[in-house]
Amino acid sequence: MFELRRVRQEQVVEQTRLDSIRGEVSRLEARRDSLMNDSATIERIARERYGMIRAGERLYRFADAPDSAAADSARRADAAAAAAGRGRLPGRAPGAPPGGDSLLAPR
């Protein structure tokens, strides 16, 4: 009797887990389809993740006041790079892929 109750409780837990995993699979399939077939999704990711803009566009950045530790760290890194002659390339976001024949151009 107790064994049957325990098995039924386990079944409910596992069914809930299965439903959750199926929902995750559906979400991932929709994301895959969007990435494969929707040019607007690809453009959004190129803009957000890789810092790209269309030719002829202007980029305006509005930054919040940085916290002091992060600002100090960034200033030291920039100063060290400048001293070593390795300044950042203007117009390119950190981590952005090199230019190419693409709809979007690096910032």
Side-chain angles (χ1 to χ4, degrees):
M1 184 86 157
F2 292 112
E3 181 71 18
L4 181 59
R5 182 176 294 170
R6 184 185 61 77
V7 169
R8 285 188 178 158
Q9 287 174 342
E10 286 180 11
Q11 181 184 14
V12 168
V13 168
E14 294 302 322
Q15 184 64 46
T16 302
R17 198 166 146 236
L18 178 62
D19 293 342
S20 174
I21 291 171
R22 283 184 176 153
E24 178 73 5
V25 167
S26 294
R27 186 188 67 76
L28 290 171
E29 287 174 341
R31 172 101 170 133
R32 180 203 61 206
D33 292 343
S34 179
L35 289 170
M36 291 179 73
N37 302 314
D38 185 13
S39 61
T41 299
I42 294 168
E43 182 174 343
R44 180 182 52 79
I45 290 171
R47 289 174 179 274
E48 292 172 2
R49 187 175 295 171
Y50 299 110
M52 300 183 88
I53 60 174
R54 287 184 179 268
E57 286 183 339
R58 287 190 180 174
L59 175 67
Y60 295 94
R61 288 189 182 180
F62 298 92
D64 294 331
D67 65 316
S68 61
D72 290 343
S73 175
R75 270 190 239 104
R76 282 193 301 273
D78 286 343
R86 299 184 321 251
R88 291 186 188 153
L89 294 176
R92 219 165 134 223
D101 297 331
S102 117
L103 181 62
L104 300 173
R107 294 183 212 189

